[in-house]
Amino acid sequence: MYLVEDKGGAIALMLASLFFLGTWPAVLTMLERRGRLPQHTYLDYSITNLLAAVLIALTFGQLGDSKPGKPNFFTQLTQDNLPSVLFAMAGGIVLSLGNLATQYAWAYVGLSVTEIISSSMCVVIGTTMNYFLDDKINRAEILFPGVGCFLVAACLGSVVHSSNAADNKKKLAASTTNYKINSYEENGSNVANEDLENGPGSSQKVGKAKAGTAEYLIQLEKQRSIKVFGKNMFLGLVIVFFAGVCFSLFSPAFNLATNDQWHTLKDGVPHLVVYTAFFYFSISCFVIGIGLNLWFLYHPVLGLEKSSFGAYLNDWNGRQWAMLAGFLCGFGNGFQFMGGQAAGYAAADAVQALPLVSTFWGVVLFGEYRKSSKRTYILLFSMLSMFVVAVAVLMASAGHRKS
């Protein structure tokens, strides 16, 4: 079994995890903006997300011989470690619920702000829990100022969302299409008033309108699968905060699964190694993701189209991207846990600075904040600056777990 033995290796894993976990949300956002139903996307994503955990367990978890107190993956599957298995599976459940919620929040609140608020909540709540679960191996005088930076960034994220929403409202009000935001509420799931249908560029795809313009926003609304015009943006924030609470619980649950701080295992039973715990964690994540999205196919939420399992099987439009997102998320979570086992899960929560990556993709791929006001740009820069400081401080707090 391969174990990360040094702080440098742990930080390298956390940086790789940061990139992976910041990129997969952008992939799923791209598919939603292209009109693919999120139920179809999440079903594909769930398959490869589990496959990534299996690959990690069969490779890293089986390399070399078992060590005292740290058996290989297959050996541990037969041991009496049910309490730790249940903690790992509980972590997978809350992570799956959080990921599922953010998939809808991205449409309402935007990729950048969704990731910022949910990640900040994860750090503020989850990192504090991990600090005490890890027997305070991280340096508190460094760790908690980093947590404070995340808290400030979360507040700035809410203000950025409010400012950008106001900018978009002004753009739509000044548009030559005379588009009315309330028209969406009146026409149900189709954006279909006369001015929009006959307006300039109405037959073009989003990619042919300039990012940041009213025409771009209108074309995006026509093309995307989750319609948001005329909807209460407060609903989006509620979804984001729900996701943040879920995210704040999965890492402490995984910590308990691998380190048994509450002494739930029988004497002589080895703690779950990170690879075995991640395997069980991913199984529960898979079951929840598949189960809920099969239900959502026939009972959609938030005004989405009704679908079927047959329609999902025949929907190959973007399937490869959804499966790539599953691999990115799976390996990102696995690397985060591997780094956390070596350097402390509180420090590993530095990967929750993933909005730095998500914001980059949001600006480059989706034109978020293009042609926004000066106030929005100042707030955005301030928010990102807080995240740069936060990730540096949390990584600097990394300790080393005693064997």
Side-chain angles (χ1 to χ4, degrees), residues 200-223:
S202 62
S203 62
Q204 295 177 333
K205 293 185 177 181
V206 174
K208 294 186 178 180
K210 290 185 178 180
T213 63
E215 286 70 27
Y216 178 88
L217 296 175
I218 294 170
Q219 289 176 29
L220 173 61
E221 178 71 7
K222 290 182 65 178
Q223 180 174 304

Side-chain angles (χ1 to χ4, degrees), residues 147-216:
V147 172
C149 290
F150 275 107
L151 183 60
V152 172
C155 296
L156 287 172
S158 298
V159 179
V160 169
H161 167 60
S162 176
S163 180
N164 195 53
D167 293 342
N168 288 340
K169 188 174 182 179
K170 290 180 181 178
K171 294 173 187 176
L172 292 169
S175 171
T176 56
T177 63
N178 295 319
Y179 179 73
K180 305 297 182 184
I181 294 178
N182 289 335
S183 66
Y184 174 75
E185 281 186 318
E186 297 168 1
N187 290 292
S189 61
N190 295 313
V191 184
N193 65 347
E194 288 298 319
D195 291 324
L196 177 57
E197 290 297 323
N198 300 318
S202 62
S203 62
Q204 295 177 333
K205 293 185 177 181
V206 174
K208 294 186 178 180
K210 290 185 178 180
T213 63
E215 286 70 27
Y216 178 88

Side-chain angles (χ1 to χ4, degrees), residues 248-286:
S248 68
L249 298 176
F250 84 86
S251 181
F254 195 91
N255 194 350
L256 285 166
T258 55
N259 295 300
D260 192 35
Q261 291 93 334
W262 292 351
H263 308 291
T264 57
L265 294 175
K266 296 178 181 178
D267 292 340
V269 177
H271 294 174
L272 281 187
V273 296
V274 65
Y275 308 110
T276 310
F278 186 47
F279 173 74
Y280 286 117
F281 175 96
S282 299
I283 286 179
S284 64
C285 200
F286 173 81

